[in-house]
Amino acid sequence: MRNQESGVARTTVTGPDGHYRFPALPPGTYSVTAELAGFASQTAKDLTITIDLVLKQDFSMRIQALSSR
């Protein structure tokens, strides 16, 4: 997750249930990127975070194109 104004970034890993958390984020506008080996990354932009906000952002990971060697 990256604050779009300041550029400050945080990372996290999902739990076994696929949920992720970024506790105690300062208010601002953020982008969040989901990445997993073998899958195409996805980014959600312009997420506005306010004090005590719980925001849900789901991702559907798509298999990355396979290359033949």
Side-chain angles (χ1 to χ4, degrees), residues 24-67:
L25 286 174
T29 304
Y30 290 84
S31 60
V32 61
T33 300
E35 299 176 320
L36 180 64
F39 292 84
S41 64
Q42 290 189 333
T43 301
K45 296 181 181 179
D46 301 323
L47 302 171
T48 301
I49 304 297
T50 59
I51 295 172
D52 290 332
L53 175 72
V54 175
L55 177 70
K56 181 178 178 179
Q57 180 63 51
D58 292 329
F59 290 94
S60 295
M61 304 299 287
R62 295 188 180 116
I63 296 175
Q64 199 167 26
L66 301 174
S67 63

Side-chain angles (χ1 to χ4, degrees), residues 3-27:
N3 184 301
Q4 292 177 199
E5 289 98 20
S6 69
V8 173
R10 289 194 193 176
T11 60
T12 192
V13 177
T14 62
D17 58 2
H19 292 112
Y20 59 93
R21 297 186 70 153
F22 291 96
L25 286 174

